[in-house]
Amino acid sequence: MKETRVRYAPSPTGDPHVGNIRSAIFNWLFARNQKGKFILRIEDTDQARMVDDGIQKQKDALNWMGLNWDEVYIQSERIEIYTKYAEKLIDEDKAYRCFATQQELDDLRNKQKAAGKITRYDGRYRNYDLDLSQKRSKEDPFVIRFKSPQEGITKCYDEIRGEITFNNKELDDFIIMKSDGFPTYHFANVVDDHLMNISHVMRAEEWLPSLPKHVNIYKSLDWEMPLFVHLPMILASDKTKLSKRHGATSIQEFINEGYIKPAMFNFLVLLGWALDDKTEQFTIEELINVFNIKKISKSPAIFNKQKLDWFNGKYIRELKSDEIAKELDLFFKNSINIKNYNIIKKYNFVDIANMIKERSKTLKDSLMLSEFIYNIPSFKSKEEVYAMCDDIDQCSYILKSTIDCLNKIDDFNIETVQFELKNLMEELNLKPKNLLGTLRIVITNQKISPPVFDCISILGKKESVNRISSALDFI
Ligand code: GLU
């Protein structure tokens, strides 16, 4: 049997969109399931749309997702190959040079528009003399166009949709090589899928209208076709195409918002694929075992942000604390300034993970819950400090007693801290508001923070006592 070889073929024109990464995930899972190869092909032939770091951004997104590739190709390094095949097509009268100037094409367009016709190239160089064309090519700029069939139909086959036919009257003589010498997407894509022995082309549904062009190129070169699998569209909850106005759309934005890999992976794989009508949570290993093209759906997938949040919170709760600790470390490093990161780094990320696990949907929530670690409280007035006490004397007394109480704890952890502080509260006959409310102020002074016992145990004895002492000195 033929080896399974699939590819992810991004154009490096910006931050990878979640839809692209969904395609990458499907291809990667299929390759791994079939013990085949996953190929990364950078389609950078549209030089005008390239962005700096575009290639690196794609690689970073794949790496973050854990989608390792077996081979990598960059189309801009393969121009000679496409040129060779385009010339072969010219020699065989299956493609031709077109010397129409931009002005000519604009005029044509305007005329067609004015006459209420569909605007498209009219084939004016289709039958141009080959010798003349050869000669002129030395002096004049030109593009190479594909001689599309003008009659009949083009039959295409998609693994999910079955046979799809296109009327050849609708096809135009599209460009395969541009005047800058670069191939167009359609041409380079087909040549490479062939030369790279791609067995399955799995890509977004938006490419389906291009399929007859591709099929005709395969036929003209007498090449066997791969199997085509067009993945369903991704729509936002309002059933329109997922776009910027719905919020984050690039993987990087989701990373910045604190989504973690297993949740993102699990969520994205369910956009257009399902094992059955009940199983929702999968590890990546499980997905490799069960992933199957037959289960890809035809109908659009809805990008349900609430579900992503739910997955993310669930994974944060369920992953081992040391795994979450690693995620937190990386996220904090990238999200806060170096001074604050250096402070937080001194604390144990596993303890922080335990503290945030039940309370965060995203790592951004976790960061908010952890801000008390580096935002050391400072006060403008004494009233702020004793706001939860009957008066300032009660406040000083509480703070002094707490310092003594904490100092006496040998094995300093959340249980012992909680136990001793509750004892203290009983002994001194204090209301929770008096003791815990006041401690919350002097330890965190944050609107959002975890319960004060957690904060004290994370900060440890020394830092907690320091904060309480500073407040005591202040009043
Ligand atoms: N370069 C195209 C893209 O960015 C690839 C489409 C395909 O997989 O054929 O989507």
Side-chain angles (χ1 to χ4, degrees):
M1 232 182 62
K2 229 170 112 176
E3 187 192 19
T4 296
R5 288 174 60 84
V6 291
R7 80 314 189 267
Y8 168 55
S11 302
T13 52
D15 280 329
H17 188 274
V18 280
N20 290 113
I21 298 302
R22 192 264 317 248
S23 300
I25 290 178
F26 280 30
N27 279 287
W28 183 85
L29 283 175
F30 185 56
R32 297 297 171 249
N33 173 278
Q34 300 283 306
K35 310 235 174 328
K37 295 279 187 295
F38 174 68
I39 291 153
L40 170 61
R41 186 171 75 223
I42 303 293
E43 301 206 328
D44 58 346
T45 58
D46 192 349
Q47 296 286 306
R49 290 181 59 228
M50 297 270 294
V51 296
D52 286 346
D53 294 343
I55 298 181
Q56 197 52 45
K57 283 180 170 159
Q58 292 291 339
K59 289 185 174 174
D60 288 347
L62 295 180
N63 281 329
W64 186 79
M65 274 289 175
L67 307 174
N68 59 323
W69 54 92
D70 303 301
E71 297 167 26
V72 58
Y73 301 93
I74 299 184
Q75 286 189 326
S76 60
E77 294 170 359
R78 300 164 56 81
I79 303 303
E80 283 163 30
I81 301 175
Y82 315 120
T83 310
K84 185 181 101 189
Y85 284 105
E87 277 165 6
K88 178 175 150 68
L89 288 179
I90 296 181
D91 290 345
E92 294 174 1
D93 196 24
K94 293 169 179 162
Y96 59 92
R97 294 185 192 87
C98 167
F99 298 92
T101 61
Q102 195 53 50
Q103 186 59 52
E104 256 183 278
L105 294 174
D106 289 347
D107 291 346
L108 171 67
R109 222 184 137 73
N110 291 336
K111 247 195 232 152
Q112 288 171 331
K113 250 198 196 152
K117 290 191 185 146
I118 300 170
T119 56
R120 59 155 140 178
Y121 179 68
D122 60 358
R124 58 182 61 188
Y125 281 90
R126 194 173 159 104
N127 297 313
Y128 199 58
D129 181 76
L130 191 55
D131 289 336
L132 255 173
S133 151
Q134 213 95 36
K135 259 185 231 134
R136 250 185 102 174
S137 70
K138 310 257 166 350
E139 284 138 36
D140 295 341
F142 63 90
V143 298
I144 303 179
R145 290 183 181 270
F146 185 76
K147 259 193 180 174
S148 293
Q150 292 177 314
E151 304 282 316
I153 51 163
T154 298
K155 272 192 199 168
C156 303
Y157 190 81
D158 175 87
E159 284 297 294
I160 297 165
R161 293 162 187 78
E163 191 173 276
I164 310 166
T165 51
F166 294 85
N167 194 336
N168 290 344
K169 283 206 169 58
E170 322 231 300
L171 306 178
D172 67 347
D173 287 353
F174 59 92
I175 298 174
I176 57 175
M177 296 293 287
K178 295 176 280 187
S179 55
D180 62 2
F182 278 75
T184 54
Y185 153 73
H186 304 294
F187 193 55
N189 187 273
V190 167
V191 169
D192 279 347
D193 282 343
H194 170 74
L195 295 180
M196 293 169 192
N197 282 317
I198 299 302
S199 58
H200 299 71
V201 167
M202 238 184 281
R203 63 180 163 210
E205 188 178 341
E206 57 177 307
W207 296 106
L208 198 56
S210 302
L211 192 53
K213 291 186 177 138
H214 299 185
V215 165
N216 285 320
I217 300 175
Y218 279 102
K219 283 190 189 155
S220 69
L221 286 160
D222 210 10
W223 286 343
E224 196 188 321
M225 272 179 256
L227 295 175
F228 294 103
V229 186
H230 288 87
L231 309 177
M233 299 254 273
I234 301 178
L235 303 181
S237 327
D238 63 3
K239 305 273 165 68
T240 63
K241 205 171 169 205
L242 183 68
S243 73
K244 283 257 170 281
R245 78 195 157 82
H246 297 109
T249 51
S250 75
I251 281 291
Q252 192 54 50
E253 287 170 296
F254 285 100
I255 298 175
N256 296 345
E257 288 191 10
Y259 291 89
I260 60 173
K261 175 188 131 179
M264 210 64 211
F265 201 112
N266 200 149
F267 173 73
L268 289 178
V269 81
L270 295 179
L271 292 181
W273 179 89
L275 179 66
D276 50 36
D277 53 13
K278 51 184 190 300
T279 324
E280 288 210 297
Q281 198 172 354
F282 299 90
T283 64
I284 293 173
E285 286 67 34
E286 283 162 355
L287 284 169
I288 292 177
N289 286 329
V290 298
F291 189 81
N292 181 340
I293 288 184
K294 300 254 167 336
K295 303 250 161 100
I296 295 174
S297 106
K298 216 189 294 186
S299 38
I302 305 292
F303 192 97
N304 180 345
K305 179 84 183 333
Q306 273 92 26
K307 185 153 177 194
L308 172 60
D309 287 346
W310 175 81
F311 262 131
N312 211 58
K314 191 161 175 8
Y315 274 103
I316 290 180
R317 279 195 302 283
E318 291 175 7
L319 284 180
K320 292 205 196 83
S321 298
D322 59 336
E323 288 175 273
I324 294 299
K326 274 191 219 131
E327 298 273 2
L328 289 174
D329 188 358
L330 197 67
F331 184 77
F332 289 3
K333 192 189 270 166
N334 293 330
S335 322
I336 55 179
N337 66 40
I338 182 76
K339 189 176 138 256
N340 289 338
Y341 175 70
N342 283 336
I343 298 177
I344 213 161
K345 209 175 67 180
K346 292 195 200 116
Y347 296 89
N348 187 340
F349 278 111
V350 175
D351 290 343
I352 303 178
N354 285 330
M355 161 192 92
I356 58 88
K357 272 183 124 175
E358 297 294 329
R359 303 184 173 96
S360 305
K361 275 207 195 86
T362 65
L363 299 178
K364 215 172 182 176
D365 296 343
S366 312
L367 179 60
M368 250 157 43
L369 289 168
S370 308
E371 275 176 14
F372 75 92
I373 299 175
Y374 54 81
N375 278 342
I376 298 162
S378 70
F379 302 101
K380 288 194 195 70
S381 72
K382 296 182 183 189
E383 285 78 10
E384 266 183 86
V385 181
Y386 68 82
M388 292 290 158
C389 293
D390 298 344
D391 54 34
I392 192 163
D393 292 336
Q394 188 198 31
C395 186
S396 317
Y397 183 61
I398 287 177
L399 296 180
K400 262 188 226 136
S401 319
T402 311
I403 294 173
D404 291 341
C405 169
L406 295 181
N407 270 332
K408 267 190 241 138
I409 304 178
D410 287 330
D411 186 10
F412 203 86
N413 61 45
I414 182 151
E415 282 83 25
T416 53
V417 167
Q418 185 162 353
F419 180 79
E420 294 298 340
L421 286 179
K422 280 192 173 156
N423 266 351
L424 182 71
M425 193 152 65
E426 254 170 54
E427 257 170 47
L428 304 184
N429 203 13
L430 295 168
K431 293 192 204 92
K433 172 188 153 191
N434 300 143
L435 179 69
L436 304 180
T438 303
L439 288 181
R440 176 186 281 278
I441 294 172
V442 305
I443 292 284
T444 77
N445 205 21
Q446 300 270 308
K447 287 209 181 67
I448 302 167
S449 74
V452 75
F453 303 125
D454 294 69
C455 298
I456 292 177
S457 76
I458 290 215
L459 290 174
K461 190 193 285 190
K462 190 160 166 259
E463 178 63 18
S464 302
V465 168
N466 273 348
R467 290 189 186 189
I468 304 170
S469 305
S470 311
L472 184 58
D473 289 347
F474 182 76
I475 58 173

